[in-house]
Amino acid sequence: TGALVEINCETDFVSKNDSFLAFGKSVAELIAKNNPADVAAIGELPLSQDGFGPTVEEVRKGLIGKIGENMAIRRFKRYADGGKLAAYLHGARIGVVVEFEGDDVAAKDVAMHVAAMKPVSLSSADVPAALIETERSVATAKAAEAGKPADIAAKMIEGAVQKYLKEVSLFNQVFVKAADGKQTVEQYLKATNTTVKSFTMFVVGEGIEKKQDDFAAEVAATMAAAKGQ
């Protein structure tokens, strides 16, 4: 059983704060043990830290008042299907968990590969349709600009899509540690008798639109409440 959780703050300085790090560790452990349904349910789990509590949400609010910076639990992934787990953290910004069977070293290497190459799926067949359509639209526009005949344009578009699928699917990517610069992740896994069932990668802040006004307002409100105003 394991859990990967993203907790956002506003500055690198706070991301290294002992209280913030302790909060993150506790939240991950609570997710692994309690299997919350969603982020809101995490807030209701029991936790006491730095004199705050008795829930995760109360500790979060207390730390906002203490540190003076907003922090929020954004998303999480819990694994409890009985498979082995390998984890890799790249600093405090990229976290990867790989569910696997087989060699521990190979799985750790693949977790590092995921952090470096950022695949979107295990195989080409698993790439989300929306991403494929976006790539197809880009390829279609390029073919139109080139002014190629319809049959050649169609081949260009399909070639571009297939190239994209190989570039973003884990098994088809060239393994970052490949000695020959050609071995794919799939070939590496086969050579090490390892099977990767799934993976999760969180890049901190990915896709978040910054809303500084909202952050400032929440911090001010929380600090005011802490002071009894």
Side-chain angles (χ1 to χ4, degrees), residues 74-225:
R74 183 189 180 199
R75 53 182 173 170
F76 69 94
K77 173 66 178 179
R78 181 177 182 269
Y79 286 92
D81 295 330
K84 295 170 73 176
L85 301 175
Y88 174 70
L89 284 176
H90 187 74
R93 293 188 171 276
I94 302 175
V96 179
V97 172
V98 171
E99 184 181 23
F100 73 102
E101 293 296 338
D103 185 72
D104 291 1
V105 174
K108 183 78 171 185
D109 281 345
V110 170
M112 293 174 66
H113 171 98
V114 170
M117 303 307 294
K118 300 178 177 57
V120 301
S121 66
L122 283 176
S123 68
S124 296
D126 302 322
V127 176
L131 293 179
I132 297 174
E133 284 310 306
T134 297
E135 191 64 25
R136 191 180 298 279
S137 296
V138 172
T140 300
K142 287 182 178 178
E145 287 177 8
K148 300 291 185 181
D151 57 336
I152 295 178
K155 289 179 181 178
M156 287 175 59
I157 294 166
E158 188 58 30
V161 171
Q162 291 304 315
K163 181 174 180 287
Y164 169 75
L165 291 174
K166 288 183 178 180
E167 289 175 346
V168 300
S169 55
L170 175 63
F171 294 154
N172 288 312
Q173 290 180 336
V174 174
F175 181 46
V176 290
K177 288 188 175 182
D180 61 358
K182 297 178 181 178
Q183 185 186 39
T184 65
V185 171
E186 186 172 40
Q187 290 169 337
Y188 171 67
L189 290 171
K190 187 175 181 179
T192 55
N193 294 315
T194 303
T195 301
V196 170
K197 298 179 176 180
S198 65
F199 72 87
T200 300
M201 178 183 68
F202 288 166
V203 179
V204 171
E206 187 176 49
I208 292 179
E209 292 181 14
K210 291 186 178 180
K211 298 179 180 178
Q212 299 295 346
D213 291 342
D214 292 350
F215 280 2
E218 181 169 355
V219 172
T222 303
M223 292 181 73

Side-chain angles (χ1 to χ4, degrees), residues 23-62:
F23 179 65
K25 185 174 187 295
S26 295
V27 170
E29 290 174 349
L30 285 169
I31 292 169
K33 294 175 182 176
N34 294 276
N35 192 22
D38 51 29
V39 170
I42 295 173
E44 299 173 2
L45 295 174
L47 180 65
S48 294
Q49 180 189 323
D50 291 23
F52 307 116
T55 64
V56 168
E57 178 61 12
E58 290 304 313
V59 172
R60 185 188 75 88
K61 289 179 179 178

